[in-house]
Amino acid sequence: PSGAAAATRRVAPQIFPSRIRRPSRDDGGEATRGAVARLRSHATSPFASSATSSRYRKGGSRFQSEKSSPPPSPLYTRKVDRARREQERTKRSVMDEWNAGTGPKVGDPMVHRKYGFCKVDSLDDPEGIILQFSDGRLLVRYDDVNRRGNGIGEGGVGGLLTSYKKIGGGAARENSQPELSSLQNTRKWDRKKEKVQNGTLRLAKDLFDLYTERQELSRTPCASDPEAMHEFEERFAFTPTSDQLRCFADVKQDMVNRKQPMDRLVCGDVGFGKTEVAFRAMYRAYLNNRQVALLVPSTILAQQHYESAKSRMPDVPMDLLTGKVKPAEARRIRERIRNGETRLVIGTHALLSEGTTFHDLGLLVVDEEQRFGVAQKEKIKGKHRDCDVLTLSATPIPRTLQMSFVGLRDITLLRTPPQGRQKVETTVGEISAKTIRKAIRQELARNGQVLFVVPYKKTIPKVKKSIEKMIPGVRVTTAYGGLDELDQNMRMLAEEEADVLVATTIVEIGLDLPKANTIIVNHAHLFGISELHQLRGRVGRRQTQGKAFFLTPPNINATKDMKMRLDAIATSSTGKEIAEVDMKIRGAGNILGKDQSGSVGDVGYELFMVMVEEAIRDLQALTIQPVNECDVTCLLPKGLAIPASYMPDKRRRDKELESARDAPTSRHLLQLNARWEREFGKPPPEISELTRALLLALLLKRLGIVSAELVSPARASRRALMYCPMMDVPQWEAWAPFFPPSARGEVDFNPSTREIVVENLDRLNPGQILDRLLQFMIPVATYVEGRRTQLEAGIKVEDDDEDSEEGNFSSSEDDW
């Protein structure tokens, strides 16, 4: 190695703290993690460099020369080769991310799971990444960078390193440089991480309770699609995309084959076919005699949906309820909704008013859900908890997207554009008359129309005059909320009687203007990222190339959030990408409350998401409750018994055995063993096996396992079967990472029988089998009971060597 890597290695004892131990002359290389590094400590390593080998051979090392090193066994060499290949694959995947520009770069802020905030100092070391902390540097090996812990014995959910992205408000927003943490003193970081962990655990519990409540709700599923439904589908004028077909199937599955109410988010860009998904769901609900409500954010969009629905579903009794409906007509519509005459109502916020009562609401469709407040959406859902809910959005709010990510809501993505549709050409630049004039003239030259969007309606008259002066003869009209001539002006644009529409964000919502292929957004830095993406989706909805110009004043003093929004709109093309950027900027949101821009702690967005995932996994594990009895009799050849040769009195034997079986904790059981030894002398091996069997039973009871037995199937190895009636795949996936690494390939779960299977017990005697089972199950029980105690107390519980008198299971492995 040369350059920074060589300099790093020369001063390794000073740069790298003692807790990260590299091969040195003091330990002969034995402290290096992993099989690859262990083999490198041998001078005969086929892939160790000569420089490395000579370094290991210096001064007091065990391996003083190549001749003195014993050759590794073939089995050991094969294992090391596999480990080496896995390390190389991991390194290549990490390097691929960096080469693609998606990985960290030198100077980027990062979060180390154990030590806290840092930044990338060097990427030149062949073994991993060098990180800079406030008081030193640290090497993180490639296999630890983004290791996932989802398998047997693989530990936690995420890797050691995550990018630093600030959640919520505060001085240090995303892409800011956090104060670097200390390697030597981690108390400040531990306190901060502990606070966030406690918050995520409580949040996950609330989420889990809400999810459980949702699973307990039920409604009668829809009947299988009749012939009328197939005829309705065949009337669709376009060829569905592959994503649309999948979305149709997902919604049908929710409505027809599930007893729980549907709560699905359909996330797709403007013009990708979300409306047809909603129409098919609405017609299916109508055919099953259920009332349907379509909630939209604007009067114009409601009118457009109403006309489309009348065309697609002429046999459905429907009404339109908006703020523009006259009071007398609105009262008649609400009466028809109340008595069930209206089977489909399309409306704006008027549907949320106290005077609107549904007869038998079975399906609620929310279009452009990002335009509604959380309280508004929950209001109508709270009155009809058993109705199906279908949410449509190109850029869902962070809270909605987060609920989908954690599994509280189902999500289907529409990523395939309609045939012939081209990606909108996006330009982010400064406001100039030259740019605006050129954009408008180019669009008019191809017989198109232009949308010119401003942030404030009071500037519309001035902008209109400027455009008319800039391009003589151009026909300009306007649109904004509260304009009396709004419908007339929009009709002029639809009938091609106007060339340019100067408007506020009223044009953002669902309007279908096929001739509008250029949009200019003035003062784009004042708009939200979701608004910018929605505005971009207004153009290029057919086969004509759409163009979007997002203009800002020159020399503007934009905040970092403004710059991030503009950078994202220039580089991101899908609504889901935009929503994820929005979630990173604003925060994941209070998933259960009304705040759509949450603040959950200063550990960074990515680490917070890992913590939420871990907390949900913990709760999956805790759904298995302890049991009162666990039968382990079949694990011993003679069952659970005290030998008569050790304790001659039968009545005493029975009494002592009963006391041992009723011992509430491991400590009580071991104290009982000590008393036996004082009274009856040194115990025989049968007593040791009995004690271990009872220790195992005590442990398995805390895990909800009701029996354990040995079986010897024909043509198969002897195995232990542990039956857990409450265990299912999600719970097993939560347990799996906490088995020791030695359990890989030895332990598995059979979901059909709900049994945990421990293989390869052929050559072990009963005592060794019990030791093997205890070795595998103690870490899992320690994890489960520790999380259970933490959740009940609401705080992080440190390992405690003392058991309570009430018989609480210890949260420390040492007690076992």
Side-chain angles (χ1 to χ4, degrees):
S2 60
T8 300
R9 292 190 175 194
R10 283 196 297 272
V11 291
Q14 289 76 34
I15 292 179
F16 297 95
S18 58
R19 56 175 66 94
I20 302 297
R21 301 171 62 194
R22 284 188 166 212
S24 68
R25 65 183 65 184
D26 299 324
D27 60 21
E30 293 178 333
T32 304
R33 293 199 325 92
V36 175
R38 286 199 298 273
L39 187 57
R40 282 180 174 173
S41 67
H42 294 269
T44 57
S45 170
F47 47 83
S49 66
S50 59
T52 305
S53 300
S54 64
R55 183 170 58 146
Y56 291 159
R57 290 198 297 269
K58 286 182 182 177
S61 173
R62 281 195 303 146
F63 305 111
Q64 305 247 334
S65 67
E66 294 188 6
K67 294 182 180 179
S68 65
S69 301
S73 68
L75 177 61
Y76 179 70
T77 302
R78 286 196 298 272
K79 289 184 177 179
V80 170
D81 286 342
R82 284 197 299 269
R84 177 176 178 260
R85 289 192 296 270
E86 179 63 29
Q87 186 182 50
E88 289 299 321
R89 283 194 296 269
T90 303
K91 176 181 176 180
R92 284 197 300 271
S93 67
V94 174
M95 295 304 296
D96 287 344
E97 289 185 5
W98 295 335
N99 293 335
T102 58
K105 300 177 179 62
V106 173
D108 281 359
M110 305 290 288
V111 183
H112 190 285
R113 184 71 182 262
K114 185 175 181 180
Y115 299 116
F117 300 125
C118 56
K119 64 180 180 181
V120 179
D121 184 72
S122 173
L123 301 174
D124 297 330
D125 195 292
E127 295 184 18
I129 308 173
I130 298 176
L131 304 173
Q132 178 69 53
F133 289 81
S134 63
D135 54 358
R137 290 191 284 173
L138 177 72
L139 173 74
V140 176
R141 301 181 187 276
Y142 288 115
D143 55 352
D144 289 330
V145 170
N146 48 12
R147 180 186 67 244
R148 303 293 292 177
N150 297 324
I152 292 289
E154 293 185 0
V157 171
L160 284 177
L161 278 186
T162 54
S163 298
Y164 174 72
K165 294 182 175 69
K166 173 85 173 177
I167 295 181
R173 295 291 301 183
E174 184 174 343
N175 288 346
S176 62
Q177 296 286 341
E179 180 183 354
L180 298 183
S181 300
S182 169
L183 284 170
Q184 307 300 330
N185 184 359
T186 63
R187 284 180 296 178
K188 181 178 179 180
W189 168 250
D190 289 340
R191 287 196 300 269
K192 183 176 293 187
K193 185 171 64 172
E194 177 182 336
K195 178 181 177 182
V196 177
Q197 283 175 332
N198 293 334
T200 57
L201 189 60
R202 288 190 292 269
L203 172 64
K205 183 180 184 301
D206 291 339
L207 279 175
F208 206 77
D209 291 343
L210 189 61
Y211 179 81
T212 302
E213 179 184 356
R214 172 190 163 196
Q215 292 299 103
E216 291 175 352
L217 292 173
S218 64
R219 53 95 171 98
T220 304
C222 294
S224 299
D225 289 349
E227 186 62 29
M229 187 67 203
H230 297 303
E231 294 175 357
F232 176 82
E233 294 171 349
E234 291 173 358
R235 291 199 299 268
F236 186 44
F238 302 95
T239 301
T241 65
S242 57
D243 283 345
Q244 270 187 305
L245 293 174
R246 189 183 70 252
C247 191
F248 296 154
D250 288 345
V251 174
K252 180 178 177 180
Q253 170 74 15
D254 292 345
M255 298 181 70
V256 175
N257 298 328
R258 281 177 47 174
K259 291 185 178 180
Q260 289 80 25
M262 174 176 67
D263 193 359
R264 181 169 294 276
L265 167 65
V266 177
C267 182
D269 274 338
V270 178
F272 276 38
K274 300 187 298 293
T275 302
E276 179 62 18
V277 173
F279 279 5
R280 295 194 182 194
M282 291 155 59
Y283 198 67
R284 180 177 291 110
Y286 164 71
L287 293 177
N288 283 268
N289 199 30
R290 297 178 184 180
Q291 206 169 22
V292 180
L294 173 57
L295 180 63
V296 297
S298 74
T299 301
I300 295 177
L301 182 58
Q303 182 67 42
Q304 183 172 304
H305 275 320
Y306 180 73
E307 293 173 358
S308 299
K310 290 289 285 185
S311 174
R312 286 282 278 132
M313 298 175 277
D315 55 327
V316 179
M318 67 180 71
D319 276 311
L320 176 66
L321 183 60
T322 68
K324 287 197 171 185
V325 176
K326 295 181 178 180
E329 179 62 20
R331 285 194 296 270
R332 286 192 291 270
I333 292 175
R334 288 191 172 95
E335 179 60 29
R336 290 196 294 270
I337 295 172
R338 186 181 301 111
N339 61 32
E341 292 179 28
T342 297
R343 305 312 297 165
L344 167 61
V345 57
I346 300 172
T348 58
H349 298 73
L351 289 178
L352 304 174
S353 66
E354 293 294 335
T356 305
T357 303
F358 291 92
H359 180 261
D360 53 349
L361 184 64
L363 173 64
L364 171 65
V365 180
V366 182
D367 194 13
E368 305 289 352
E369 68 94 30
Q370 75 277 1
R371 296 299 296 257
F372 293 95
V374 174
Q376 293 173 318
K377 288 175 288 188
E378 298 300 328
K379 183 176 181 180
I380 189 169
K381 290 163 64 176
K383 295 180 180 179
H384 307 275
R385 299 180 64 84
D386 59 346
C387 81
D388 292 326
V389 179
L390 183 63
T391 303
L392 314 177
S393 181
T395 52
I397 61 172
R399 176 177 178 270
T400 300
L401 192 65
Q402 181 63 20
M403 291 175 75
S404 300
F405 283 169
V406 301
L408 193 61
R409 301 183 71 175
D410 299 314
I411 183 171
T412 300
L413 303 179
L414 295 176
R415 290 173 288 200
T416 307
Q419 187 175 5
R421 180 162 182 175
Q422 303 180 51
K423 182 179 177 181
V424 176
E425 182 182 303
T426 303
T427 301
V428 176
E430 294 182 353
I431 297 173
S432 71
K434 180 179 179 181
T435 301
I436 296 173
R437 184 186 302 109
K438 181 179 179 181
I440 295 176
R441 283 180 172 172
Q442 285 181 344
E443 185 58 44
L444 296 181
R446 58 177 182 172
N447 196 30
Q449 295 172 313
V450 178
L451 305 178
F452 196 104
V453 181
V454 297
Y456 307 113
K457 67 178 182 181
K458 64 182 180 181
T459 63
I460 288 179
K462 182 179 179 180
V463 172
K464 181 177 181 291
K465 290 181 180 179
S466 298
I467 294 176
E468 291 172 337
K469 182 179 179 181
M470 185 186 304
I471 306 175
V474 68
R475 299 171 297 175
V476 183
T477 188
T478 60
Y480 54 86
L483 179 65
D484 294 335
E485 300 84 11
L486 178 60
D487 292 340
Q488 178 184 344
N489 290 356
M490 296 304 296
R491 195 179 306 111
M492 288 174 57
L493 196 70
E495 296 175 358
E496 302 182 32
E497 296 176 3
D499 301 317
V500 179
L501 175 69
V502 180
T504 59
T505 54
I506 193 171
V507 299
E508 170 194 347
I509 303 301
L511 298 178
D512 188 7
L513 302 171
K515 298 286 289 185
N517 294 308
T518 294
I519 186 168
I520 301 171
V521 181
N522 208 29
H523 291 270
H525 62 290
L526 299 178
F527 294 84
I529 189 171
S530 173
E531 288 179 309
L532 295 177
H533 182 69
Q534 289 281 349
L535 290 169
R536 179 169 60 182
R538 293 304 104 205
V539 298
R541 301 192 62 165
R542 297 297 185 266
Q543 297 184 0
T544 305
Q545 172 72 62
K547 296 182 179 182
F549 296 84
F550 299 106
L551 307 180
T552 60
N555 304 320
I556 184 176
N557 186 22
T559 65
K560 289 184 177 180
D561 282 355
M562 291 179 181
K563 293 178 181 178
M564 285 181 61
R565 288 198 295 269
L566 295 175
D567 290 343
I569 201 65
T571 57
S572 302
S573 58
T574 69
K576 182 172 179 289
E577 291 174 354
I578 294 293
E580 288 175 349
V581 172
D582 190 22
M583 184 161 61
K584 292 176 183 179
I585 294 174
R586 295 202 285 154
N590 183 350
I591 299 177
L592 298 171
K594 299 179 181 180
D595 297 334
Q596 293 177 183
S597 302
S599 178
V600 290
D602 294 343
V603 296
Y605 165 74
E606 292 189 7
L607 180 55
F608 170 72
M609 291 303 302
V610 171
M611 290 181 174
V612 171
E613 187 177 346
E614 288 178 342
I616 292 176
R617 180 201 59 195
D618 292 344
L619 290 171
Q620 289 280 13
L622 299 184
T623 57
I624 299 178
Q625 297 299 316
V627 294
N628 295 325
E629 295 293 335
C630 178
D631 184 9
V632 295
T633 306
C634 296
L635 294 179
L636 297 176
K638 298 181 180 179
L640 300 179
I642 299 175
S645 58
Y646 183 65
M647 199 176 295
D649 188 344
K650 184 177 184 305
R651 294 181 61 184
R652 180 70 184 275
R653 286 200 308 272
D654 294 342
K655 181 179 179 181
E656 294 294 340
L657 180 60
E658 184 178 358
S659 298
R661 298 181 70 158
D662 293 340
T665 67
S666 57
R667 180 163 300 176
H668 287 81
L669 188 58
L670 297 177
Q671 288 173 350
L672 188 62
N673 268 255
R675 181 167 60 80
W676 289 352
E677 187 170 354
R678 289 194 302 269
E679 292 188 29
F680 301 101
K682 183 178 179 180
E686 291 86 351
I687 293 296
S688 176
E689 293 173 1
L690 171 65
T691 303
R692 280 177 282 183
L694 293 176
L695 279 171
L696 181 64
L698 185 63
L699 182 150
L700 297 183
K701 284 192 294 185
R702 302 297 297 173
L703 294 175
I705 297 173
V706 299
S707 68
E709 61 177 341
L710 288 175
V711 296
S712 300
R715 299 181 181 180
S717 63
R718 184 162 57 161
R719 63 189 61 174
L721 303 179
M722 294 178 283
Y723 175 56
C724 183
M726 292 177 282
M727 173 76 76
D728 211 336
V729 173
Q731 288 77 21
W732 170 252
E733 291 176 347
W735 282 17
F738 295 93
F739 283 95
S742 58
R744 296 176 189 170
E746 307 287 331
V747 181
D748 202 356
F749 174 63
N750 186 342
S752 61
T753 60
R754 301 183 185 274
E755 290 175 331
I756 299 172
V757 183
V758 182
E759 304 273 5
N760 302 326
L761 303 178
D762 285 321
R763 301 181 181 180
L764 304 182
N765 61 41
Q768 292 172 326
I769 291 174
L770 291 169
D771 286 342
R772 175 74 62 87
L773 297 180
L774 284 168
Q775 175 194 0
F776 289 169
M777 301 307 296
I778 283 175
V780 179
T782 303
Y783 150 69
V784 170
E785 195 62 24
R787 285 294 186 266
R788 184 176 287 131
T789 304
Q790 179 181 350
L791 186 62
E792 291 172 354
I795 59 173
K796 180 179 175 63
V797 177
E798 300 293 335
D799 289 347
D800 189 354
D801 290 336
E802 296 184 2
D803 290 323
S804 68
E805 294 299 322
E806 291 77 20
N808 287 335
F809 178 86
S810 171
S811 61
S812 170
E813 286 191 29
D814 297 336
D815 284 351
W816 292 90

